[in-house]
Amino acid sequence: MDVGRRTINQLRVFNFRHGLTKEIEAPSVRYGSTPVDGPAKGIGIMPHWENLRRNYYQQMGWDPETGRPLPETLRMLGLGDVVKDL
């Protein structure tokens, strides 16, 4: 688990250095559309997207507003040297 969390956070810092924003992390129009048939007919993800994303960011130890890893999260994972990159 620790190796996975370190990897995800290193990738996250790399992506932020190269222009990632939370707006880019929104679902595509097709993925975010409301299904017209099947078991999820009429149930779309977009009305819930902001809450889902905020919860995910909090669970990951990232800033809920920007999605950037928090310095304490990076330090806890032994990645204190990349804090300066954010």
Side-chain angles (χ1 to χ4, degrees), residues 25-43:
E25 292 188 305
S28 68
V29 173
R30 181 174 179 186
Y31 181 77
S33 65
T34 303
V36 295
D37 61 359
K41 179 180 179 178
I43 303 170

Side-chain angles (χ1 to χ4, degrees), residues 5-37:
R5 292 200 68 196
R6 283 177 53 91
T7 303
I8 289 169
N9 279 276
Q10 283 179 316
L11 179 61
R12 190 87 178 160
V13 171
F14 175 87
N15 287 339
F16 268 104
R17 279 192 309 213
H18 291 86
L20 178 68
T21 63
K22 81 175 198 175
E23 290 75 27
I24 294 173
E25 292 188 305
S28 68
V29 173
R30 181 174 179 186
Y31 181 77
S33 65
T34 303
V36 295
D37 61 359

